[in-house]
């Protein structure tokens, strides 16, 4: 009996350890944020460079994506490379050069003697005269063929005119039906618009939309960068396009005045500068928002209404 209780005790300890380990892993996934960093720069004396780095749990998982002349990526788990791209060295294809074409083609006869093929292509005068006769006879046929072709072209034009007139009269006869179809289509569109407007005015649907907007706001606050700095130098030949860029920057200036600086240049065309973004994403916030929306009864009701 004591041995049986000891076995149960050991099994219970093992199960408890496994459950505790699973709970710890779930807690780490939910509450330890994923950190990201984005770097991009382009200067006059260097090529475009971009880097995206994702880390989790003190670099337990480390994902790096780079771009210079080519794309490079690397995935590490506990400092051990799991997946990475091939080397970026470009291997040149050693293609064989083909010899230039020579007109002096030669053949080997049965006796092993080399002879020019062009020498074996002598044409007799009789053959030339026969060719001339054939050319004259075919020229007479070509003249008759031209008359047939002109006749076929005239026939084709008459056929096309008759085809166009037939289609035109068919359109006139069916115009009432076409107008009815267009009218029914417009009526159905108006009915659909009225249906969705009434659905959006429903109080329960308004609550669901408000819930979705609030959760979307929390997700945006969760994933938005904590550090966002950039310095851009922009020069465009077209004054209109340059004015549009500066007007957009002026609209966003109250929000990004301390984050993004734009230096306009008017004497040359150039786009260069640097960008640095850093932030973190909490999986718990994402899962929480998804659960709140998905398990809401009014949300499921609204989806059914809009599917109709």
């Amino acid at each position: 009996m004591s041995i049986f209780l000891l076995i149960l005790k050991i099994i219970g300890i093992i199960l408890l350890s496994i459950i505790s380990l699973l709970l710890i892993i779930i807690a780490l996934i939910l509450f330890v944020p994923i950190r990201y960093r984005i770097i991009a720069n382009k200067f006059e004396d260097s090529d475009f460079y971009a880097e995206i780095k994702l880390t989790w749990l003190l670099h337990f998982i480390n994902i790096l994506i780079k771009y210079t002349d080519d794309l490079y990526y690397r995935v590490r788990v506990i400092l051990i490379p799991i997946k990475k791209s091939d080397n970026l060295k470009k291997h040149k294809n050693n293609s064989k050069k083909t010899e230039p074409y020579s007109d002096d083609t030669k053949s080997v006869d049965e006796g092993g003697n080399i002879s020019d093929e062009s020498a074996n292509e002598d044409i007799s005068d009789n053959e030339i005269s026969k060719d001339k006769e054939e050319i004259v006879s075919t020229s007479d046929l070509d003249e008759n063929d031209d008359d047939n072709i002109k006749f076929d072209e005239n026939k084709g034009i008459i056929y096309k005119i008759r085809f166009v007139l037939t289609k035109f009269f068919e359109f006139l006869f069916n115009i009432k039906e076409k107008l009815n179809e267009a009218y029914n289509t417009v009526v159905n569109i108006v009915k659909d618009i009225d249906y969705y407007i009434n659905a959006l005015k429903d109080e329960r649907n308004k609550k669901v939309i408000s819930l979705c907007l609030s959760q979307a706001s929390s997700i945006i606050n969760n994933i938005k960068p904590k550090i966002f700095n950039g310095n851009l130098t922009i020069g465009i030949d077209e004054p209109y396009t340059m004015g549009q860029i500066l007007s957009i920057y002026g609209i966003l200036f109250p929000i990004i005045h301390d984050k993004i600086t734009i230096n306009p240049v008017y004497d040359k065309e150039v786009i260069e500068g640097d960008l640095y973004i850093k932030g973190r994403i909490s999986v718990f916030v994402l899962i929480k928002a998804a659960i709140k929306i998905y398990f809401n009864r009014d949300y499921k009701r609204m989806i059914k209404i809009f599917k109709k």
Side-chain angles (χ1 to χ4, degrees):
M1 187 69 179
S2 59
I3 296 174
F4 180 72
L5 292 175
L6 180 62
I7 293 172
L8 290 177
K9 184 178 179 180
I10 294 171
I11 292 173
I13 292 172
I14 293 172
L15 290 175
L16 185 62
S17 301
I18 294 172
I19 293 171
S20 300
L21 181 61
L22 290 174
L23 291 175
I24 291 171
I25 293 173
I26 292 172
L28 290 174
I29 293 173
L30 291 177
F31 297 105
V32 175
I34 300 170
R35 301 181 184 274
Y36 64 88
R37 186 187 68 190
I38 301 173
I39 299 174
N41 55 62
K42 170 67 174 71
F43 298 105
E44 187 175 358
D45 56 347
S46 63
D47 296 329
F48 175 75
Y49 173 80
E51 175 184 311
I52 300 175
K53 189 174 184 179
L54 303 172
T55 60
W56 179 73
L57 193 62
L58 299 175
H59 295 264
F60 181 84
I61 297 177
N62 188 308
I63 301 174
L64 178 64
I65 302 172
K66 285 185 179 181
Y67 179 83
T68 50
D69 293 333
D70 203 347
L71 186 65
Y72 170 79
Y73 64 90
R74 182 208 64 210
V75 180
R76 291 192 309 192
V77 178
I78 321 177
L79 302 178
I80 300 173
I82 302 299
K83 182 76 173 177
K84 65 179 181 179
S85 60
D86 299 331
N87 294 330
L88 301 179
K89 295 181 180 179
K90 298 180 179 178
H91 301 282
K92 295 182 178 179
N93 295 325
N94 296 323
S95 58
K96 295 181 179 180
K97 294 183 179 180
T98 58
E99 296 181 358
Y101 176 76
S102 177
D103 292 335
D104 299 332
T105 56
K106 297 182 179 181
S107 62
V108 181
D109 58 11
E110 294 180 356
N113 299 321
I114 300 175
S115 61
D116 293 340
E117 292 181 359
S118 60
N120 297 327
E121 296 178 354
D122 295 334
I123 303 174
S124 62
D125 295 336
N126 294 328
E127 291 177 350
I128 294 173
S129 62
K130 288 180 181 179
D131 292 339
K132 289 181 178 179
E133 292 176 357
E134 290 178 357
I135 291 170
V136 171
S137 61
T138 53
S139 63
D140 295 334
L141 293 174
D142 290 340
E143 291 178 356
N144 296 328
D145 291 339
D146 291 338
D147 295 336
N148 294 329
I149 290 170
K150 290 178 181 178
F151 178 76
D152 291 339
E153 288 179 353
N154 294 329
K155 183 179 178 181
I157 293 171
I158 294 172
Y159 176 77
K160 289 179 180 178
I161 294 172
R162 186 172 61 183
F163 177 78
V164 171
L165 291 175
T166 303
K167 290 296 182 182
F168 178 72
F169 285 116
E170 286 180 358
F171 173 75
L172 291 178
F173 290 136
N174 297 327
I175 190 170
K176 184 178 180 181
E177 183 180 353
K178 297 294 183 183
L179 290 174
N180 288 331
E181 290 179 359
Y183 175 76
N184 292 330
T185 302
V186 173
V187 170
N188 290 330
I189 292 173
V190 172
K191 287 182 179 179
D192 290 339
I193 293 173
D194 291 337
Y195 175 80
Y196 288 115
I197 290 174
N198 293 328
L200 292 173
K201 289 180 179 179
D202 185 78
E203 293 297 329
R204 294 174 65 180
N205 290 339
K206 284 182 178 180
K207 292 180 180 179
V208 175
I209 294 172
S210 177
L211 175 65
C212 293
L213 292 176
S214 64
Q215 296 305 315
S217 176
S218 64
I219 291 173
I220 292 172
N221 291 329
N222 176 39
I223 66 177
K224 72 178 183 180
K226 302 297 183 288
I227 300 175
F228 187 16
N229 295 322
N231 189 1
L232 301 176
T233 300
I234 300 176
I236 300 176
D237 291 337
E238 297 181 0
Y240 178 74
T241 305
M242 192 67 183
Q244 285 185 323
I245 294 172
L246 294 177
S247 63
I248 294 172
Y249 178 68
I251 294 171
L252 299 176
F253 185 79
I255 302 174
I256 62 173
H257 68 282
D258 57 342
K259 299 177 177 64
I260 299 292
T261 302
I262 293 181
N263 304 311
V265 176
Y266 298 97
D267 57 347
K268 62 179 180 178
E269 186 171 353
V270 61
I271 297 177
E272 60 183 30
D274 59 337
L275 184 68
Y276 181 80
I277 300 173
K278 187 176 182 181
R280 59 185 183 178
I281 302 171
S282 176
V283 179
F284 174 75
V285 176
L286 303 179
I287 295 176
K288 178 184 175 183
I291 291 173
K292 279 189 173 182
I293 294 173
Y294 183 76
F295 289 100
N296 187 283
R297 293 182 179 179
D298 292 336
Y299 170 77
K300 294 181 179 179
R301 172 181 172 271
M302 186 180 71
I303 294 298
K304 290 181 180 179
I305 291 172
F306 277 93
K307 280 185 177 180
K308 291 180 181 181

